[in-house]
Amino acid sequence: MNNAPKPNLEDLPTKAQLFRSSVIAGIGAVVILVTIYLPAEHAIDPTGVGRVLGLTEMGEIKLELAAEAEEDRLLDEQLGQDQSSSVLDAVFGLFIGTAHAQEAQEVWRDEVTFTLEPGASAEVKMTMEAGNVVEYAWTATGGRINFDLHAHGGGESIDYERGRGETAGEGSIEAPFAGNHGWFWRNRDSTAITITIQLRGDYSEIVQSN
């Protein structure tokens, strides 16, 4: 059996060298924490480096998706996955939407219809100038839909309304600034959902994207 040679004391690091290495490693860990981990995971960017590298935006998206997932979880608990209730609400929404369409058939300027498969999303926006007013009415058939009614343009943004597990809605938008004003739709249900939006008022065009 061979004995391993004992190291020379001169080859071992001194306490001062070990302390210096520990301090350098600690500083490196703090730098990584502040400039990379916190912006990318929690959208916390005290130095501004994370936003330059695009990490802060990544963190903001993660927080938004986590919040939406939590809202969906709470909604599922409240609804108890009651599919029969979804079908009844869908039929009721279809009836109300049909009656509303018949009543307002002569006055709506545009109608947009599209279908979202489970998990799919879409955006429908109107291009509006500051002070423009748009009236709308929409229905979802086949299930419940999540939406975010908001606007952005010229470096400004605003949230008008958010809904979870809805089947119909109506109202109006008065644009506080020029830009694109409208909805982000997401189907969190287990069936395909058809959305019909009726619009009238002051807007130059409708932009739709998936």
Side-chain angles (χ1 to χ4, degrees):
M1 181 175 180
N2 296 325
N3 294 325
K6 294 182 179 181
N8 296 324
L9 294 178
E10 294 79 5
D11 297 332
L12 297 176
T14 65
K15 290 183 178 180
Q17 290 173 328
L18 291 173
F19 178 75
R20 184 170 61 253
S21 298
S22 299
V23 170
I24 293 173
I27 293 173
V30 171
V31 171
I32 293 173
L33 174 68
V34 173
T35 61
I36 297 178
Y37 178 79
L38 289 178
E41 296 296 328
H42 302 285
I44 299 174
D45 187 16
T47 65
V49 174
R51 188 164 296 279
V52 173
L53 298 177
L55 299 175
T56 305
E57 183 178 359
M58 182 190 304
E60 291 171 347
I61 293 173
K62 287 182 178 180
L63 293 178
E64 183 176 346
L65 291 176
E68 182 177 314
E70 178 64 15
E71 290 177 352
D72 290 337
R73 185 187 67 80
L74 295 175
L75 177 63
D76 288 341
E77 289 182 357
Q78 180 182 357
L79 297 177
Q81 299 295 334
D82 189 352
Q83 294 298 323
S84 62
S85 175
S86 294
V87 172
L88 289 175
D89 287 341
V91 172
F92 179 75
L94 176 61
F95 173 77
I96 295 298
T98 302
H100 189 83
Q102 291 174 348
E103 179 182 353
Q105 185 175 6
E106 299 299 326
V107 296
W108 291 114
R109 173 179 167 184
D110 287 301
E111 181 174 289
V112 179
T113 300
F114 56 96
T115 299
L116 292 180
E117 297 297 326
S121 63
E123 283 193 306
V124 177
K125 300 288 183 64
M126 293 86 67
T127 302
M128 302 170 63
E129 298 297 327
N132 285 171
V133 177
V134 169
E135 295 181 358
Y136 64 86
W138 64 268
T139 58
T141 59
R144 299 171 179 267
I145 196 73
N146 296 355
F147 70 88
D148 182 353
L149 178 57
H150 62 280
H152 58 83
E156 298 185 88
S157 62
I158 185 173
D159 284 326
Y160 295 115
E161 181 186 6
R162 290 189 178 188
R164 295 291 181 268
E166 304 291 340
T167 57
E170 61 181 349
S172 63
I173 301 170
E174 182 174 357
F177 53 82
N180 291 327
H181 303 250
W183 296 266
F184 172 80
W185 306 91
R186 186 184 294 278
N187 180 5
R188 291 293 192 183
D189 219 330
S190 58
T191 59
I193 299 174
T194 298
I195 301 166
T196 301
I197 310 171
Q198 294 172 309
L199 301 166
R200 63 179 171 228
D202 303 319
Y203 54 90
S204 58
E205 65 175 331
I206 299 174
V207 181
Q208 183 175 352
S209 60
N210 296 325

